[in-house]
Amino acid sequence: FVYYNSFMTSVRFYVEQEMIEKIFGLGKHAAKIMSSQLDLPGGVSSADFGFGMLLNQAGIILVGLFVFFVIRNFLQVHRIIGKLIKLRVKYTKWVWLGTINALIAIGWLVSLSHYTPAIELGGRELFAFHLAITLYAIKNMQFMVNYNYGLDGE
């Protein structure tokens, strides 16, 4: 019961907020505001739902853009790999690099359903690094598709 309440705290808090706070968030002090306004069970200091905490901090606009960006990158890598296969391009370092980092970024995003390391100090930099590598690999794979470059696997 304590675990369920700590998990649902951020969801209940988000539902009770004013519309402007739902759209733009509460900022970096959302956890302090939540713990001061809510009676969390069992001495829990904050919620246990990372995505809900992110939603309370950044608001629906930024969180929506963030999720859209990560999923779009993953789908773009998948689409470009399909084009490269049709062109009979052997797997190159860019395909490998783009695929692995897109999967890791999706993993970080899914991990927000429970934990918050993806948005905490160190984790967000690593998350951004994986997204940046994915974007760079997408750029290079798109170059290979547009110019039929790398047909020999180089």
Side-chain angles (χ1 to χ4, degrees):
F1 184 71
V2 172
Y3 179 76
Y4 173 78
N5 282 337
S6 66
F7 188 81
M8 292 302 293
T9 299
S10 60
V11 175
R12 276 184 257 145
F13 187 76
Y14 183 78
V15 170
E16 295 170 0
Q17 289 183 55
E18 306 256 340
M19 184 57 72
I20 194 80
E21 292 169 340
K22 287 180 183 178
I23 294 172
F24 296 108
L26 297 169
K28 65 180 179 177
H29 301 294
K32 291 178 186 175
I33 294 169
M34 285 177 61
S35 61
S36 68
Q37 291 182 4
L38 299 173
D39 183 28
L40 296 174
V44 177
S45 61
S46 67
D48 203 17
F49 182 39
F51 195 76
M53 290 298 293
L54 183 61
L55 199 57
N56 284 319
Q57 288 179 352
I60 192 75
I61 293 175
L62 287 178
V63 172
L65 286 172
F66 166 70
V67 171
F68 171 76
F69 179 72
V70 173
I71 292 173
R72 182 191 66 102
N73 282 346
F74 180 77
L75 293 175
Q76 192 171 9
V77 166
H78 182 70
R79 182 182 54 83
I80 292 173
I81 289 173
K83 287 181 180 179
L84 288 172
I85 290 172
K86 286 179 184 176
L87 291 172
R88 300 193 194 303
V89 174
K90 294 180 183 174
Y91 286 100
T92 66
K93 60 184 174 184
W94 297 115
V95 172
W96 180 86
L97 201 60
T99 304
I100 295 300
N101 283 285
L103 286 172
I104 291 172
I106 289 290
W108 276 106
L109 182 67
V110 170
S111 77
L112 282 173
S113 65
H114 191 282
Y115 301 109
T116 59
I119 56 172
E120 292 175 1
L121 184 63
R124 67 178 164 245
E125 287 82 4
L126 188 58
F127 193 12
F129 181 68
H130 288 298
L131 289 174
I133 291 174
T134 302
L135 287 174
Y136 190 67
I138 287 171
K139 176 185 164 199
N140 284 296
M141 286 189 294
Q142 191 64 50
F143 176 80
M144 290 167 50
V145 167
N146 291 341
Y147 299 104
N148 293 329
Y149 180 76
L151 293 176
D152 58 352
E154 293 299 321

